Amino acid sequence: MASILNKTQELQESSKVLGHVRCESFFIFPGESSLSDAFRGVLYFLALAYCFVGLSAITARFFKSMENVVKHSRKVVAIDPITKAEVITYKKVWNFTIADISLLAFGTSFPQISLATIDAIRNIGERYAGGLGPGTLVGSAAFDLFPIHAVCVLMPKAGELKKISDLGVWLVELVWSFWAYIWLYIILEVWSPNVITLVEALLTVLQYGLLLVHAYAQDKRWPYLSLPMSRGDRPEEWVPEEIDESKDDNDVHDMYSDAAQETVESGNNIVDIFSIHSANNDTGITYHTVADTPPGSSTKRGKVKNFTVFDIWKDQFVDAITLETPESKKVDSIYLRIAKIFWQLLLAPWKILFAFVPPCNIAHGWIAFICSLLFISGVAFVVTRLTDLISCVTGINPYVIAFTALASGTSWPDLVASKIAAERQLTADSAIANITCSNSVNIYVGIGVPWLINTVYNYFAYREPLYIENAKGLSFSLLIFFATSVGCIVVLVLRRLIIGAELGGPRLWAWLTSIYFMMLWVVFVVLSSLKAVG
C-alpha cells in the first residue's frame, strides 16, 4: 500500500496548477483524465461498490468449496472384538479449530496477503518496504473488529441467542490477535525503530505457527498448554445436514461432495456452510451406511439422477444467466419482480465470470478453493486501484482512504464470511473466530511474509535491514485501536453475562450493540485520520 500511496501523492503534487490538483491517472482509458474530477469520483465510487458486490459473490462460492474441503473424511476399518465383524467408520481429516484459523481466516484475508506479497516481489532490491503497510493493516483490523461485529450481532432471528461454545479456544485466539499488534508496535518503535531486520521478519511469520499449535492444544485440552476451561455444550447438529448415502464406498469419503448439485438445482445462492463443527462429537468420527443406489447418482422424490462434473459445471453457467427463478415468478407484485430481475441482471457479469470456478465436488473442493482465492485476489487488486484513483481525483488524504475504503474493500470477504456464519451456524464460534483470527493472519502472514521476502534479499544483497517509511501516526492509531477494542470486548463479555450470548437476543439490545460497535469504528477512523493529516 505504501507504494500506491506514494504514487498518488506524486500524481497530486505533479499536477498542481494555480493551487488546483488535477489527477492525470486513469483506470481503463486515457480519456478519463479529460472528465471532471467530480464526475470521475462518482464513477469510481460506483465501480468500487460494484466490486464489493463481486467480492460477496465469489466469497459465497469460496465457502461452498471450503465446506467440501473441511468435511473430507477418511475411511477407518476396525474389527469388532466381540462379533469379529468389520466396523467401518469415517474420521474427519480436518480439526475444526485449525480449519477456522487456517482455511477460513487465511482465505478471507487472502486479498491483503496476495496484494502485499505481489508488491513485495515487485519491490525486491528496494531498501524501503512497500506493500500493504502497517497503517492499512491496523485499519483493516478495526473494520474486522467493529463493523463486522456490528453486522453479526444482528444476524440471528429476533430473540435467538448464539453464543461461543468453546470459550477457551476463543480466548487463545483473542490473546494472539492482540499480541500481533503489540508485537507490531514493538518491532517498529521499540526494538529497532523504523527498521525491520531479518530476525524480526522471521519471528513474525513463525508466530502464526505458534498460534496454530496453541489453538490446537486448547481444543484438545493438552495439559500445561491449555486453559483449564470446560467446553460448552454442543448441539446435536450445528446446521441441518443432508447425508448422501449413494456414494461409492471408496477409501476416502466425502459426504457432501454433491452439495453443489442441489444448490444449482434449487437456484439458491446461499448454501449451508460453516457446518464444519461436529455434532457433539469431539473425536471427529462419523458412521456411514452405504446404500444400494448406483455410484455417482443421487435420489430425489424416488427418482435416480445421474450427474457428471460437466453437468454440474454447465448448470453453473445456466444459473448465472437465469434472471428469474421459479420462486421469483410466484411473487405477486410486478414491481418487486422487476426489481429482482434488475438485480439479477446487475449480478450476471460476476456470476458468469465466477461460473468458470470448477464445481466444488472435484478433488474434495480443493480446486474450487484455490480458484476462488485467485478470483478474490483479482477483485481485491481492482479495489485497491480504484481507491488509489478516488484519492487522486477527490484530494482526500490517501491514509484516510486506506483506513476506510481500502480497509473495507480488502476486508469484505471477512464480512461476508462472518455474516454467513452468524446466519447459518448454530453457535457463534466461527463467526467471531474469523474476526479475531483474520486480524492475526493479517500481521503474522500479511505483513510477515512480504517483510521476510524483502529482508532476506536485502540481507544477502546489501547486508542491510529493511527500512520502513510512511509510518506517520501508526503508534497513535495502535493506541486508539487498543482502547476501542477493549470497549468492544467488554460489551461482548457483558452480553454473555447478562443476555447469555454474544450474538442475537432481544432486537432492541441487538441494535443498540450494533450501533455502539459502529460508533467505536467511527471514533477510530476519525481520530486516526485527523492524526494522519496533522
Side-chain angles (χ1 to χ4, degrees), residues 97-257:
T97 298
I98 298 300
D100 282 343
I101 301 175
S102 56
L103 294 179
L104 180 57
F106 181 84
T108 54
S109 299
F110 195 73
Q112 297 97 315
I113 296 172
S114 60
L115 289 175
T117 304
I118 292 172
D119 197 60
I121 295 174
R122 290 178 177 177
N123 283 300
I124 285 181
E126 299 290 337
R127 288 177 169 81
Y128 286 88
L132 285 170
T136 304
L137 270 297
V138 174
S140 178
F143 185 88
D144 286 348
L145 193 62
F146 305 128
I148 296 182
H149 268 124
V151 171
C152 289
V153 76
L154 296 173
M155 287 302 102
K157 298 177 182 178
E160 184 182 8
L161 297 175
K162 294 188 177 182
K163 64 180 181 179
I164 299 173
S165 66
D166 197 335
L167 285 174
V169 171
W170 177 67
L171 287 175
V172 168
E173 295 167 346
L174 184 65
V175 169
W176 278 98
S177 175
F178 274 93
W179 167 249
Y181 291 90
I182 296 175
W183 170 254
L184 179 62
Y185 181 87
I186 291 174
I187 61 178
L188 286 176
E189 300 292 338
V190 180
W191 192 342
S192 54
N194 298 322
V195 170
I196 300 298
T197 65
L198 178 59
V199 173
E200 292 171 339
L202 186 60
L203 289 176
T204 302
V205 176
L206 290 179
Q207 287 182 77
Y208 180 63
L210 295 178
L211 166 62
L212 291 172
V213 173
H214 193 185
Y216 183 79
Q218 180 64 42
D219 182 73
K220 295 299 183 181
R221 298 303 191 268
W222 287 357
Y224 308 111
L225 293 178
S226 61
L227 299 174
M229 301 181 65
S230 60
R231 194 192 309 274
D233 294 333
R234 288 180 173 177
E236 291 297 325
E237 292 184 353
W238 290 63
V239 296
E241 297 182 346
E242 296 179 5
I243 300 178
D244 180 11
E245 298 184 346
S246 62
K247 297 299 294 178
D248 189 21
D249 191 18
N250 297 324
D251 288 339
V252 178
H253 174 67
D254 188 351
M255 353 182 216
Y256 289 84
S257 60

Side-chain angles (χ1 to χ4, degrees), residues 395-523:
I396 301 175
N397 187 283
Y399 286 96
V400 177
I401 296 291
F403 282 130
T404 54
L406 185 58
S408 60
T410 55
S411 299
W412 199 255
D414 292 312
L415 173 61
V416 177
S418 293
K419 173 183 175 294
I420 299 177
E423 287 177 329
R424 306 301 297 173
Q425 201 174 10
L426 301 183
T427 69
D429 290 72
S430 287
I432 296 180
N434 178 55
I435 297 172
T436 54
C437 294
S438 293
N439 285 344
S440 300
V441 171
N442 283 343
I443 298 301
Y444 300 137
V445 182
I447 287 182
V449 170
W451 279 355
L452 184 60
I453 293 173
N454 290 137
T455 53
V456 168
Y457 184 89
N458 286 10
Y459 178 79
F460 289 102
Y462 311 121
R463 296 294 176 179
E464 292 183 1
L466 181 67
Y467 298 96
I468 304 296
E469 62 180 352
N470 295 324
K472 181 181 179 181
L474 176 60
S475 301
F476 179 80
S477 296
L478 285 173
L479 293 176
I480 297 299
F481 174 74
F482 287 138
T484 51
S485 59
V486 168
C488 175
I489 301 302
V490 167
V491 169
L492 288 177
V493 173
L494 290 176
R495 283 180 56 87
R496 179 63 176 257
L497 296 176
I498 299 174
I499 301 178
E502 290 80 11
L503 305 182
R507 215 58 185 164
L508 175 61
W509 290 109
W511 274 104
L512 289 177
T513 304
S514 179
I515 294 172
Y516 171 74
F517 287 154
M518 290 303 299
M519 289 177 60
L520 290 178
W521 184 62
V522 171
V523 169

Side-chain angles (χ1 to χ4, degrees), residues 45 80 96 160 164 168 176 181 214 233 273 275 310 338 378 394 409 422 474:
F45 268 114
D80 190 292
F96 305 126
E160 184 182 8
I164 299 173
W176 278 98
Y181 291 90
H214 193 185
D233 294 333
I273 58 180
S275 51
F310 295 103
I338 293 175
T394 61
L474 176 60

